Amino acid sequence: MIPAIVTTVEMTALALLLAVPLGLFTAIYLNEYAKRGNKLVGVIRVTTETLSGIPSIVYGLFGLLFFVYYLQWGLSLLAGVCTMAIMTFPIIMRATQEALAAVPDLYREGSFGLGAGRFRTVFRIVLPSAIPGILGGIILAIGRTVGESAALIYTAGSIAAVPTSVFDSTRTLAVHMYLLASEGLHIDATYATAVLLLVFVLLINLATSAVAKRISKGGMTDE
């Protein structure tokens, strides 16, 4: 189970490393820089909502065709990471958009009135106020990454070993649990893996909530 735990942490961290900056900056551009009522923004919003509802098996088949076969990465950690980044990108982007939209326009107008530019207003005023909502989207993305099995079986494989390279095949806790359950020989280990997954997600949620509260208190103190 140790290799699966290590792989789950690596998979989650690397997927977030790709998805969070992309989703964050895309949402900032669409909400703060694009013109209000822009048709392109509406199309992108509908598209991201559609991507959020696509079954994970479809992402897995896409990753299999593109990353595994077309790019010839094989069943590897890198293919799994890129597939999970694509899956979680719409979640992070939509959560960030909603969080930014919830910030009152008075904050922006007050910053502009004091002579701050748009860049400074966004990153010093608007973004810190939206941090709790953004972290909520990141929590959802982490939960989907940790609990995903279908897409990763097609892209990362199922070898029970700690990867020494991003091109090595490996398995996460969710895939490990699925394989144990499908064999039907290690039911106790299957339940133990399920409990470990729940504890893992719970600890991440608690840690993220604590960070959000600390940031909110810090912002109130600065004000």
Side-chain angles (χ1 to χ4, degrees):
M1 191 180 293
I2 298 300
I5 296 174
V6 174
T7 301
T8 301
V9 174
E10 291 180 349
M11 183 77 67
T12 304
L14 292 174
L16 290 178
L17 189 64
L18 294 177
V20 170
L22 185 60
L24 185 64
F25 288 116
T26 302
I28 289 174
Y29 172 77
L30 293 177
N31 198 79
E32 302 297 329
Y33 287 90
K35 293 182 179 180
R36 299 291 176 91
N38 192 329
K39 293 183 179 180
L40 178 61
V41 175
V43 172
I44 294 176
R45 178 172 298 178
V46 173
T47 303
T48 52
E49 290 176 351
T50 303
L51 290 174
S52 300
I54 292 178
S56 59
I57 189 68
V58 177
Y59 285 102
L61 292 175
F62 169 79
L64 178 68
L65 293 174
F66 186 72
F67 298 121
V68 177
Y69 291 146
Y70 182 75
L71 297 182
Q72 298 182 354
W73 289 350
L75 296 175
S76 60
L77 176 65
L78 182 60
V81 165
C82 291
T83 302
M84 293 310 304
I86 294 174
M87 285 182 61
T88 55
F89 164 73
I91 300 174
I92 296 172
M93 178 183 164
R94 289 295 297 134
T96 303
Q97 276 190 296
E98 295 297 330
L100 293 174
V103 178
D105 286 337
L106 289 175
Y107 287 22
R108 300 174 178 85
E109 294 171 0
S111 181
F112 292 148
L114 292 173
R118 184 175 296 275
F119 182 86
R120 188 178 181 85
T121 298
V122 169
F123 286 91
R124 295 297 298 273
I125 305 298
V126 178
L127 195 59
S129 302
I131 286 294
I134 296 172
L135 289 178
I138 294 176
I139 290 175
L140 293 176
I142 291 174
R144 185 161 190 180
T145 302
V146 171
E148 185 54 49
S149 59
L152 294 179
I153 290 176
Y154 286 103
T155 55
S158 58
I159 295 179
V162 177
T164 58
S165 168
V166 292
F167 293 102
D168 290 342
S169 178
T170 185
R171 70 168 67 169
T172 61
L173 278 171
V175 175
H176 181 69
M177 182 179 67
Y178 168 77
L179 294 175
L180 290 177
S182 62
E183 291 173 358
L185 301 175
H186 307 283
I187 301 301
D188 292 340
T190 303
Y191 290 141
T193 305
V195 172
L196 187 60
L197 274 172
L198 290 175
V199 172
F200 187 73
V201 174
L202 178 61
L203 291 176
I204 292 175
N205 290 348
L206 292 176
T208 309
S209 299
V211 171
K213 289 180 180 178
R214 186 169 182 177
I215 292 175
S216 299
K217 289 181 179 179
M220 292 177 62
T221 304
D222 293 339
E223 293 175 0

